[in-house]
Amino acid sequence: VGNHTFIVYVEDWDEPGAGVDQFWVELRDKDGNVIASMSIPRAAVDNTIDLAGGNIVVPHGGDG
């Protein structure tokens, strides 16, 4: 089924070993209803999941 939307929140702690990268996701169906079985409860910043391995890489803005 298509037309799903999602919101993703990540915390990228830069270099491995500097902190634990974290992840949160909310998935909505075509009518805008949250798909609870595929989503993490809100608030994102309070319910992130620590990555057990690997590293999230988020492009960081430059100086200008």
Side-chain angles (χ1 to χ4, degrees):
V1 177
N3 299 319
H4 284 67
T5 59
F6 60 91
I7 300 170
V8 175
Y9 171 87
V10 298
E11 291 185 10
D12 176 4
W13 287 89
D14 287 329
E15 298 301 320
V20 178
D21 289 352
Q22 297 178 318
F23 180 84
W24 175 91
V25 65
E26 180 178 87
L27 200 68
R28 293 179 176 263
D29 65 18
K30 64 180 178 63
D31 297 320
N33 301 306
V34 173
I35 304 171
S37 64
M38 299 178 75
S39 299
I40 301 171
R42 286 187 178 217
V45 72
D46 295 328
N47 291 304
T48 57
I49 295 177
D50 294 349
L51 261 58
N55 186 34
I56 292 175
V57 179
V58 177
H60 295 203
D63 291 332

